[in-house]
Amino acid sequence: MTHKPYRILSLDGGGTFCLIQAKALAALFGAHTPGRKVLSHFQLAAATSGGSFVLAALANDKSPGDIIEKFGTEANRKRFFNRLPFWQRWISVLSGGQLGTRFDPRSKKQFIESTLAPVGQQKLIELGRDNTLPALLIVGYDYQYDRAKLLRSRPDSPAANFPRDDGHVTLAEAVDLSTHAPVNWFSGLSRPAGSQAPGYWDGALTGFNNPVQLAVSEAIGNGVPREDIGVLSLGTGHCMLLSQETPAAPELRIERQTPGLLRDLVKVARAIIGEPPDADSYLAHLSLTGAVPAAAGQTMDSPVIRCSPLIHPLRSDGQWAPPPGLGSVAEFGRLARLDIAATADADVALINALIGDWIAGHSQNQPVRRAGAYFELHEGHWDEQRCCEIGYPRFADAKAAWQRMCAAPLV
């Protein structure tokens, strides 16, 4: 990977799993580096849902360590995901938590406003005039028109459609609407003050829970040469489980699902987090290079540096087992099926174990394009180096590529 003069930061959605992004930023830039210094390495920053909270915290000059502290405190997580009284979440109660809103949107909004003060009260257009910040792009879902709502700090961007927004939504309002996950999480709509629109839902509903392709398109639409663009794309974890037929513990295998009304409703409701992030990273790679491997076993670097842990079993001594830091098979199963609204310390301990394993190199980093048969044995063995066709198989590889892209060590 060579130096790229125009760099993009892209942050996925993922609720509590955005702790992964904060710890990745700490590993890349230093835990105590002020947020604006982190952002000074980028010309554009795009985010969806929980990633928008991380981005706004950086714009408020919070260090990665500050963000870790916010996500790492159970009391704060319960302010963001504040459970409604049972009579207001009766559908969720009757469905065993499978379906129905559970959390108070007012508490979420208050937490966002208090955490992001004072910068959160600034209008996006005001932040766009601040030359110490990159251009900001936050993704929401327009409830009335059933389409993406792209909130820009520079609304006069040539990539924006006409008529263009006035940029008068505040940063805190943009984060509130981008994180307003419906159906299974928050009731109603998020509506900025003074807005005439009915309201907005979580940006992940647009299909851009990973906003990297939107961000790359924004840069290209602004006339940036493709060869100058490099991306640091931070995800929030992705499950890679064994097929149902694999001889392994059930917790390590994908669950066999039979269609039915309740199950289908649950799957539709959770599609907000089910959209595979692989596709957007790969499309962004193609937009910038057009290059793909020519044969099986060939690998290549990418100007899209994807940093996101894979939740996946390892092959050891002829058996499938969790990575070493994730404890028992039962704990691995809990992590793989953990809700994005995890608040309990015991659940977040599993996320922290995943992050520790990933940064230490005991588990894999998500490729930009993985090999199709990810868990296929080769000559009786699972060769994990064959799993990554485009991208960086370990966090350390991605970090080294990022430092080459910046042409200077960052930590």
Side-chain angles (χ1 to χ4, degrees):
M1 179 48 56
T2 58
H3 172 66
K4 298 291 185 180
Y6 189 96
R7 295 182 294 274
I8 296 170
L9 176 64
S10 175
L11 299 169
D12 290 16
T16 305
F17 281 82
C18 287
L19 184 61
I20 293 168
Q21 296 173 341
K23 292 202 171 186
L25 289 167
L28 291 167
F29 298 95
H32 304 296
T33 303
R36 292 204 169 202
K37 186 171 182 180
V38 172
L39 290 177
S40 70
H41 294 280
F42 303 95
Q43 284 68 47
L44 171 65
T48 301
S49 193
S52 71
F53 179 88
V54 174
L55 174 57
L58 293 173
N60 200 33
D61 214 26
K62 302 294 184 184
S63 70
D66 294 331
I67 301 170
I68 292 167
E69 184 178 356
K70 281 291 180 184
F71 277 106
T73 304
E74 184 171 333
N76 284 335
R77 294 192 296 270
K78 287 185 174 179
R79 288 176 64 195
F80 194 99
F81 295 110
N82 184 17
R83 197 171 292 274
L84 291 163
F86 74 90
W87 62 86
Q88 290 184 285
R89 52 183 172 89
W90 62 270
I91 295 176
S92 178
V93 172
L94 291 177
S95 67
Q98 294 294 299
L99 193 65
T101 54
R102 294 169 285 161
F103 305 111
D104 185 354
R106 294 168 300 178
S107 180
K108 172 175 73 80
K109 185 176 183 180
Q110 290 165 3
F111 176 71
I112 289 169
E113 289 174 345
S114 63
T115 302
L116 299 182
V119 173
Q121 300 310 310
Q122 289 187 253
K123 299 182 187 302
L124 289 180
I125 194 168
E126 295 170 349
L127 296 174
R129 299 188 187 111
D130 187 338
N131 292 329
T132 67
L133 287 173
L136 306 180
L137 177 65
I138 294 175
V139 185
Y141 179 88
D142 189 317
Y143 182 84
Q144 182 171 10
Y145 290 102
D146 294 321
R147 64 186 183 191
K149 176 68 173 179
L150 304 184
L151 298 155
R152 296 174 170 87
S153 64
R154 298 174 188 173
D156 59 347
S157 164
N161 62 290
F162 295 99
R164 292 172 176 163
D165 283 343
D166 57 14
H168 284 189
V169 171
T170 69
L171 180 61
E173 288 172 334
V175 172
D176 183 57
L177 70 86
S178 185
T179 59
H180 203 85
V183 184
N184 259 30
W185 292 275
F186 297 101
S187 61
L189 301 169
S190 172
R191 193 170 88 179
S195 172
Q196 301 304 310
Y200 302 92
W201 272 348
D202 192 295
L205 284 169
T206 62
F208 294 111
N209 194 47
N210 174 357
V212 63
Q213 177 62 16
L214 280 179
V216 166
S217 300
E218 183 79 9
I220 293 171
N222 275 268
V224 182
R226 285 172 169 81
E227 62 272 17
D228 288 348
I229 299 172
V231 185
L232 178 63
S233 172
L234 301 184
T236 53
H238 183 59
C239 280
M240 287 291 298
L241 301 181
L242 299 164
S243 69
Q244 184 60 225
E245 295 74 26
T246 306
E251 292 87 349
L252 307 180
R253 300 179 306 188
I254 195 164
E255 180 184 356
R256 189 185 301 278
Q257 298 181 345
T258 304
L261 180 59
L262 179 58
R263 182 183 293 277
D264 291 352
L265 287 173
V266 171
K267 285 183 75 69
V268 169
R270 291 184 175 173
I272 185 173
I273 56 170
E275 179 261 335
D278 308 62
D280 288 302
S281 299
Y282 178 51
L283 291 173
H285 167 86
L286 290 177
S287 296
L288 295 178
T289 71
V292 294
Q298 181 184 351
T299 62
M300 63 173 51
D301 290 346
S302 175
V304 177
I305 299 174
R306 179 68 173 170
C307 290
S308 187
L310 285 182
I311 303 169
H312 67 107
L314 287 172
R315 183 83 171 174
S316 177
D317 297 326
Q319 302 291 326
W320 292 104
L326 294 186
S328 67
V329 168
E331 288 175 319
F332 177 90
R334 278 179 53 210
L335 174 66
R337 294 159 179 84
L338 201 59
D339 189 83
I340 62 169
T343 56
D345 280 340
D347 289 335
V348 176
L350 295 174
I351 300 175
N352 283 323
L354 167 68
I355 299 169
D357 252 28
W358 169 57
I359 290 178
H362 300 314
S363 58
Q364 284 198 294
N365 184 56
Q366 184 184 37
V368 171
R369 189 175 89 173
R370 60 180 173 84
Y374 187 87
F375 291 112
E376 182 179 88
L377 299 183
H378 180 64
E379 297 180 353
H381 300 281
W382 179 53
D383 181 1
E384 60 183 27
Q385 294 303 315
R386 293 168 55 89
C387 299
C388 178
E389 292 185 340
I390 303 175
Y392 306 92
R394 299 283 171 173
F395 178 82
D397 301 325
K399 180 177 179 178
W402 169 245
Q403 291 182 329
R404 292 193 300 272
M405 182 179 287
C406 292
L410 300 174
V411 179

